[in-house]
Amino acid sequence: MARLKSSNVLKRPKSAEERVNIRRTSPVVRPTAAAVRRRRRPGERALMEIRAYQKSSDLLLRKLPFSRLV
């Protein structure tokens, strides 16, 4: 297969003036806080849930089905 010249290749600025102009015109794009999700280690979320359940006083299972089981 023959190699074709790609038309969407970025052109590099050749002079220092062109580099400065590119820096001035290109906006800096930063992701918003909602777009960036926190990466958690394996098991970290489970530990957070365990702590939350230990702090709460509500029952995880209803009383009647649990009494039938036990």
Side-chain angles (χ1 to χ4, degrees):
M1 212 172 157
R3 290 188 175 200
L4 300 175
K5 200 172 195 180
S6 180
S7 61
N8 59 354
V9 175
L10 294 173
K11 294 181 180 179
R12 292 185 173 209
K14 295 179 182 176
S15 68
E17 289 177 7
E18 288 180 23
R19 276 186 252 136
V20 170
N21 289 337
I22 288 175
R23 282 190 208 136
R24 288 182 187 158
T25 58
S26 61
V28 176
V29 179
R30 293 194 177 105
T32 60
V36 178
R37 296 193 64 185
R38 189 174 191 283
R39 176 87 172 132
R40 298 189 188 276
R41 291 175 293 173
E44 189 174 352
R45 181 71 188 163
L47 289 173
M48 289 171 59
E49 288 179 9
I50 290 169
R51 289 186 196 112
Y53 286 129
Q54 286 175 343
K55 287 179 186 176
S56 68
S57 62
D58 56 335
L59 298 174
L60 300 178
L61 299 172
R62 294 192 185 124
K63 287 185 180 182
L64 192 60
F66 183 73
S67 65
R68 276 185 263 149
L69 180 70
V70 175

